[in-house]
Each structure stands twice: as structure tokens, then as C-alpha cells.
């Protein structure tokens, strides 16, 4: 194992993400946060008033430094997160934040990736490679490998941009991720663990986060576009649970709900 062991304290941190599909009402978001009580929330395609939302919730938020209309907003519980700051904004699609939780620093990276409607799989792969250059640079410059990437990837876990070594290099197996890295043509690539794979098979009666019935032969119907990736350093003392929220008020295949994406959250839970 190539990474150093880090001591963790007892905690149960929850990171939520929701693509709100340009909703202007914060009612469903406030209900979600009140019910699940996440420590930090990243929202995409949001037109809500953050000031009103945080007042209602008694949360706080981190402002964009570059963009007047950022594609991702970051809300956090200031009672559990002692410090939160923005580290980088890239193409208005990748937003990196540093947070302090239980005296430990995490890097939370929110993504709202380019759509398959405008980018084919080869173009998406090129963008993934670019994004990962940013991530690796951030980890090096801030000396932090407690990295969690969460968001709307607009790809399924098996798409080439998610699994390629020089892209997100994410794997379904926690045991493989814990090996730390793989070597391709004498170059090292660090793994991410992707717990989002567990949705496949419908064992939990959840089939995806985004539903699209295309009139062609290769339609998947259900897609897992909203995912979470975790560096193996985070796995050393913790279980990582990935959950798709199936509240019909938030999402429905009938398009009668607040958004066309289901909210998700990742729970980082220290092993007892």
C-alpha cells in the first residue's frame, strides 16, 4: 500500500448532491436536508436563493470566486464543519472545496460534467483526463488525499471516462482500490473506489439516478449519472455508503417531480 495510514476519529460524515434541474423553489431541498441532515450539500443546476435557504436551515455556504452563476453551489452545516473554503473552480464544471470535519481535512470536489447530448464518449474521455489533471494537482499542492468526488458525471460507472487509468480510474472493488494504484506502460495511476456500481441489479429496488427512454436499440432506460468516487486513503478506517434518494417529490420517471435526477449522498462512517 503506497499511501500513509491516517488516524481517524469517530464520526459519521454525510455528503449530499442533487442536480435540481433549474428549480427556483428551495422547498424540496430544505425538506431533504431536514430529513437526512447532511454535513455538506452540493447542488447543480440550481436557481434557488442560497441566502434564504441557509437562513431556513441554519447552514452556511461557500461563494464562488469566479462565476456569478456557478453550476455548483456548496452548502454546509457550520456546527459540524469547522472550516470550509473553495480551492479551485475549473470550466464552471469542477469545484474543489477543503473542509475540516472532526479535526481532519477532506477535499470535496463537485462535478457537473459535460452532457452526452453534446459530447460523444471520446470527447467525454478527453475532458475526464483534463479534470483528473486538476484533481491530481490539487492533491499535490494541498498535500491531501482524503478526496471525495461527487456529482453529475453524465456517464455511467462503466463508461471509459470513469474507468480509464489516465481518467477517473475508478473501480467497483474496494479491495482493488485499496491496492492504491495500477501501473500502465510504467506510469502509475491512483485508484478511486466507486460504490455507485452497487445499484446495478436492482437488489435495493433502485435502478439508477436518471431515467431516459431513447427510441433506439441501445437505450439503457436507467442510468447512474450521479456518482461518488473516494480515494483509498478515506477507506483505511471507514465504510463508504452510497445511497440514492427515491423520494417521488424529488424525482419521478413521469417528469412530475422537482428534478429529472435523483438526489444522492455518500456516508463516510468510521468502522467500530
Amino acid at each position: 500500500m503506497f499511501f500513509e495510514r491516517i488516524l481517524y476519529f469517530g464520526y459519521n460524515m454525510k455528503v449530499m448532491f442533487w442536480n435540481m434541474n433549474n428549480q427556483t423553489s428551495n422547498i424540496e431541498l430544505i425538506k431533504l436536508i431536514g430529513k437526512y441532515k447532511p454535513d455538506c450539500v452540493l447542488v447543480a443546476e440550481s436557481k434557488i436563493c442560497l441566502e434564504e435557504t441557509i437562513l431556513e436551515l441554519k447552514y452556511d455556504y461557500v461563494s464562488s470566486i469566479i462565476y456569478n452563476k456557478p453550476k455548483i453551489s456548496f452548502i454546509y452545516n457550520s456546527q459540524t464543519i469547522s472550516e470550509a473554503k473553495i480551492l479551485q473552480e475549473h470550466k464552471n464544471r469542477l469545484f474543489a472545496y477543503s473542509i475540516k470535519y472532526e479535526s481532519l481535512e477532506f477535499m470535496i470536489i463537485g462535478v457537473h460534467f459535460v452532457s452526452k447530448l453534446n459530447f460523444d464518449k471520446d470527447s467525454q474521455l478527453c475532458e475526464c483526463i483534463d479534470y483528473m489533471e486538476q484533481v491530481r494537482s490539487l492533491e499535490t499542492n494541498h498535500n491531501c488525499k482524503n478526496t471525495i468526488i461527487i456529482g453529475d458525471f453524465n456517464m455511467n460507472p462503466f463508461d471509459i471516462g470513469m474507468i480509464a487509468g489516465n481518467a477517473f480510474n475508478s473501480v467497483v472493488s474496494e479491495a482493488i482500490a485499496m491496492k492504491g494504484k495500477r501501473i500502465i506502460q510504467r506510469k502509475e495511476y491512483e485508484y478511486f473506489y466507486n460504490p455507485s456500481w452497487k445499484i446495478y441489479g436492482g437488489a435495493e429496488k433502485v435502478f439508477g439516478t436518471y431515467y431516459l427512454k431513447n427510441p433506439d436499440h441501445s437505450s439503457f432506460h436507467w442510468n447512474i449519472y450521479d456518482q461518488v468516487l473516494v480515494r483509498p486513503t478515506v477507506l483505511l478506517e471507514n465504510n463508504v455508503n452510497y445511497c440514492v434518494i427515491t423520494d417521488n417529490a424529488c424525482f419521478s420517471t413521469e417528469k412530475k417531480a422537482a428534478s429529472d435526477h435523483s438526489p444522492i449522498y455518500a456516508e463516510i462512517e468510521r468502522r467500530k
Side-chain angles (χ1 to χ4, degrees):
M1 193 177 296
F2 79 107
F3 39 80
E4 294 181 2
R5 186 177 182 85
I6 296 176
L7 294 178
Y8 290 78
F9 304 96
Y11 58 78
N12 189 353
M13 185 176 74
K14 193 177 290 183
V15 183
M16 180 179 286
F17 173 84
W18 190 20
N19 181 330
M20 295 186 66
N21 193 28
N22 294 312
Q23 290 296 306
T24 56
S25 171
N26 62 7
I27 293 173
E28 294 305 326
L29 179 63
I30 289 172
K31 287 180 181 177
L32 273 178
I33 294 175
K35 180 177 180 179
Y36 292 96
K37 297 177 173 52
D39 298 286
C40 47
V41 185
L42 295 90
V43 291
E45 295 188 17
S46 165
K47 293 184 178 180
I48 63 172
C49 176
L50 286 178
E51 288 82 0
E52 290 180 3
T53 304
I54 63 170
L55 281 173
E56 183 84 17
L57 293 165
K58 297 182 180 178
Y59 272 49
D60 206 341
Y61 75 99
V62 178
S63 300
S64 169
I65 299 172
I66 300 175
Y67 304 105
N68 291 326
K69 296 180 179 179
K71 289 186 181 293
I72 290 179
S73 300
F74 186 89
I75 304 169
Y76 68 97
N77 184 345
S78 56
Q79 294 183 352
T80 60
I81 304 292
S82 60
E83 182 181 325
K85 60 184 178 182
I86 195 160
L87 300 177
Q88 186 170 341
E89 302 167 84
H90 183 60
K91 296 182 176 179
N92 201 12
R93 289 192 176 274
L94 181 149
F95 292 77
Y97 306 89
S98 171
I99 67 167
K100 289 274 184 72
Y101 184 94
E102 294 284 345
S103 303
L104 187 65
E105 182 180 3
F106 287 89
M107 190 184 302
I108 310 293
I109 299 177
V111 296
H112 185 203
F113 208 71
V114 292
S115 171
K116 290 180 182 291
L117 296 175
N118 303 310
F119 283 68
D120 62 19
K121 64 179 181 180
D122 295 326
S123 295
Q124 282 191 320
L125 173 60
C126 292
E127 287 297 297
C128 290
I129 294 168
D130 173 60
Y131 282 33
M132 273 310 302
E133 288 176 354
Q134 304 298 318
V135 172
R136 285 190 289 267
S137 177
L138 281 163
E139 290 176 327
T140 299
N141 293 339
H142 295 277
N143 193 29
C144 180
K145 289 290 179 70
N146 287 344
T147 308
I148 300 168
I149 305 180
I150 191 169
D152 177 4
F153 288 82
N154 269 310
M155 293 179 285
N156 281 300
F158 53 78
D159 280 330
I160 186 64
M162 300 301 300
I163 63 175
N166 61 342
F168 284 112
N169 196 25
S170 63
V171 292
V172 62
S173 167
E174 187 173 332
I176 291 174
M178 288 297 289
K179 293 180 180 178
K181 63 185 177 183
R182 59 171 161 166
I183 299 174
I184 304 171
Q185 292 293 296
R186 300 183 181 182
K187 186 171 182 178
E188 296 180 351
Y189 299 95
E190 298 175 35
Y191 283 121
F192 275 103
Y193 169 55
N194 187 350
S196 317
W197 280 91
K198 76 172 189 175
I199 298 302
Y200 287 116
E204 301 185 13
K205 300 185 186 295
V206 178
F207 303 98
T209 66
Y210 180 79
Y211 183 84
L212 179 64
K213 184 180 178 181
N214 283 328
D216 61 24
H217 291 285
S218 60
S219 175
F220 294 126
H221 296 269
W222 280 105
N223 299 273
I224 307 176
Y225 285 172
D226 306 271
Q227 303 174 53
V228 60
L229 310 181
V230 180
R231 279 292 196 208
T233 312
V234 179
L235 300 173
L236 285 172
E237 300 284 351
N238 301 280
N239 296 315
V240 177
N241 302 310
Y242 167 81
C243 182
V244 178
I245 298 170
T246 57
D247 187 331
N248 288 334
C250 297
F251 169 83
S252 170
T253 58
E254 302 289 326
K255 297 188 176 180
K256 296 177 181 178
S259 176
D260 54 354
H261 287 255
S262 291
I264 64 169
Y265 67 82
E267 192 170 36
I268 314 301
E269 182 180 15
R270 191 182 188 279
R271 297 190 191 100
K272 296 179 180 179

